[in-house]
């Protein structure tokens, strides 16, 4: 088949106007998460670090926060050996998340750190998926509960893949009731938009795979501009030299390769 200039122009335009290109945002802020993996006292059992090849659900967390021009990195800090904190419980004195945080950083420090983020991977957190401090850098991930989430039997499910991104949102300050989309009856700290990242875990539409996350696919875990503007002011973030959003850079590269290939085929066809 001979490709004419009109077909070439149309295909080029389709590449440049694809959702990934149109929704691109420059990455100019970053947050590093210090990882603490909790094991039982004997060190025989340790909390999971997430799916093989995607520790901490890093891919999903980064795609979600790229909407705000924020990249998320991880630094493994240490393992903690404790039967009490392997399965913490906020209803049992001495075994709460606050107790766990204070055991590492000192008494009274839980919920006060506004310059860095600590993530604790535990086995089971009393059946919850996780929790994050409001406007401060500390969160907990209940890895057995997250990993065992089956997405209603959907193919490709590897667990509750947006838990970390949601709790990090709380760390970045996304809890104020001043947002127009906040205020579920009995829960004024979460968004009422079930496609929003900051909707309650019991209400939120949960992505099964990376392709379901906004701006592609089903558009789940969407971050409205009001949330983006607020989160980007967090002191937990560090400014970096602007870099293209990876998906956009990839789409641009693919576009150039595709255009080059079409031109070569056209030239070959004209010479045949």
């Amino acid at each position: 088949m001979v490709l004419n200039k009109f077909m070439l122009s149309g295909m080029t335009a389709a590449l440049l106007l694809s959702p990934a290109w149109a929704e691109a945002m420059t990455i100019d802020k970053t947050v590093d998460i210090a990882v603490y993996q909790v094991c039982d006292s004997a060190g025989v059992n340790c909390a999971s670090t997430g799916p093989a090849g995607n520790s901490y659900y890093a891919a999903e967390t980064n795609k979600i926060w790229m909407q705000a021009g924020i990249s998320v990195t991880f630094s493994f800090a240490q393992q903690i050996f404790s039967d009490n904190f392997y399965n913490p419980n906020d209803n049992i004195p001495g075994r709460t998340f606050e107790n766990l945080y204070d055991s590492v950083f000192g008494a009274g420090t839980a919920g006060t750190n506004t310059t860095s983020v600590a993530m604790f991977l535990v086995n089971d957190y009393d059946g919850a998926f996780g929790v994050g401090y409001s406007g401060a850098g500390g969160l907990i991930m209940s890895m057995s509960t997250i990993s065992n989430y089956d997405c209603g039997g959907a193919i490709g499910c590897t667990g509750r893949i947006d838990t970390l991104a949601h709790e990090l949102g709380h760390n970045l300050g996304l809890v104020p009731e001043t947002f127009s989309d906040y205020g579920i009856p009995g829960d004024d700290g979460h968004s009422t938009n079930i496609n929003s990242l900051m909707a309650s875990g019991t209400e939120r539409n949960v992505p099964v795979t990376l392709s379901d996350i906004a701006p592609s696919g089903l558009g789940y875990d969407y971050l409205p501009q009001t949330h983006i503007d607020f989160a980007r002011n967090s002191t937990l973030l560090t400014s970096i030299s602007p870099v293209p959003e990876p998906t956009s850079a990839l789409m641009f590269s693919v576009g150039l390769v595709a255009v080059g290939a079409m031109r070569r085929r056209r030239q070959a066809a004209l010479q045949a």
Side-chain angles (χ1 to χ4, degrees):
M1 178 178 70
V2 177
L3 295 173
N4 61 44
K5 63 180 180 180
F6 301 105
M7 295 174 66
L8 179 62
S9 297
M11 295 179 74
T12 303
L15 283 167
L16 296 181
L17 294 176
S18 67
W21 177 262
E23 296 290 341
M25 184 168 182
T26 299
I27 305 297
D28 61 356
K29 290 182 180 289
T30 187
V31 56
D32 186 68
I33 297 178
V35 181
Y36 294 82
Q37 182 188 31
V38 183
C39 307
D40 59 23
S41 296
V44 175
N45 301 297
C46 294
S48 168
T49 58
N54 185 22
S55 295
Y56 323 127
Y57 295 96
E60 293 82 7
T61 302
N62 269 284
K63 183 175 182 183
I64 291 169
W65 281 102
M66 281 175 186
Q67 296 176 77
I70 298 170
S71 69
V72 184
T73 60
F74 301 86
S75 300
F76 192 89
Q78 69 179 73
Q79 290 182 317
I80 298 171
F81 301 96
S82 169
D83 287 335
N84 284 339
F85 296 140
Y86 181 59
N87 293 305
N89 190 315
D90 284 346
N91 296 313
I92 303 176
R95 293 181 55 183
T96 69
F97 175 32
E98 182 175 320
N99 295 146
L100 170 56
Y101 191 99
D102 287 353
S103 72
V104 175
F105 296 103
T109 56
T112 66
N113 191 338
T114 58
T115 57
S116 62
V117 179
M119 175 173 70
F120 295 88
L121 306 179
V122 302
N123 180 56
D124 177 70
Y125 182 43
D126 194 28
F129 289 104
V131 70
Y133 288 121
S134 171
L139 61 94
I140 192 169
M141 295 272 282
S142 182
M143 296 307 293
S144 62
T145 307
I146 292 169
S147 300
N148 290 329
Y149 182 76
D150 68 356
C151 309
I155 297 174
C157 180
T158 58
R160 188 76 185 251
I161 61 178
D162 60 354
T163 299
L164 171 55
H166 175 89
E167 303 306 345
L168 181 59
H170 287 315
N171 284 179
L172 296 177
L174 294 182
V175 290
E177 298 83 353
T178 54
F179 291 140
S180 61
D181 66 323
Y182 269 52
I184 296 174
D187 181 12
D188 56 9
H190 286 101
S191 172
T192 57
N193 181 349
I194 60 175
N195 287 332
S196 169
L197 171 67
M198 299 315 297
S200 167
T202 59
E203 303 288 336
R204 187 167 73 251
N205 281 326
V206 183
V208 175
T209 67
L210 195 67
S211 63
D212 293 336
I213 294 170
S216 59
L218 298 173
Y220 291 167
D221 291 324
Y222 169 70
L223 282 168
Q225 194 63 48
T226 51
H227 293 195
I228 289 173
D229 293 342
F230 194 96
R232 283 175 57 85
N233 285 321
S234 172
T235 57
L236 296 172
L237 300 175
T238 300
S239 296
I240 58 175
S241 298
V243 295
E245 188 270 325
T247 301
S248 302
L250 176 60
M251 286 299 297
F252 184 65
S253 298
V254 170
L256 291 179
V257 171
V259 170
M262 286 187 285
R263 285 177 175 167
R264 288 193 295 273
R265 289 175 184 170
R266 181 170 180 268
Q267 292 171 350
L270 291 174
Q271 294 172 357

